[in-house]
Amino acid sequence: MITLLNKNIKNMKHRSFLILVMAASLCYSSTIAQSFKSDSLFVPGNVKQYQFNLDKPALQIDDLKYEQSGDPIKGGLTRDGGRVIMDNYKKGQRVKARVTYADGTSEEITRSPCYIDPVKFEL
């Protein structure tokens, strides 16, 4: 009976050790995964480009500027024409532009800051 008890205690020690090793490896792997994610090219303080979506694909964008000041914004369309990318956008400002769509129509659009997002590049 004592031999059986010693075997059970030995098995419990092995199980406990195995569980401890597995938990440590899981913690380590999640730390590694988080560090890869934070090593992406997106650094919140150094965002250089911002974007907003268009309702339908466009062919051309003209007169991209800040609504209040009228200062021009350097930017353009994505390849698919679905988004406008702006360089060095000043946060909190409304944006205005003239957009020509693929169907030949054009309109002046305005986007508030809540529709303007940073462009995120990930590896």
Side-chain angles (χ1 to χ4, degrees), residues 20-64:
L20 181 66
V21 168
M22 288 175 62
S25 68
L26 285 174
C27 290
Y28 179 74
S29 65
S30 70
T31 304
I32 294 296
Q34 287 175 357
S35 70
F36 282 131
K37 188 175 182 180
S38 66
D39 286 344
S40 69
L41 297 175
F42 176 66
V43 182
N46 296 330
V47 174
K48 300 289 185 204
Q49 290 185 319
Y50 285 82
Q51 65 185 353
F52 63 87
N53 294 322
L54 296 172
D55 296 332
K56 53 186 177 180
L59 291 177
Q60 184 176 338
I61 186 157
D62 297 310
D63 204 22
L64 183 60

Side-chain angles (χ1 to χ4, degrees), residues 55-56 62 97-101 105-109 111:
D55 296 332
K56 53 186 177 180
D62 297 310
R98 171 138 314 268
V99 180
T100 305
Y101 296 106
T105 61
S106 70
E107 69 175 332
E108 188 168 280
I109 61 168
R111 292 291 187 266

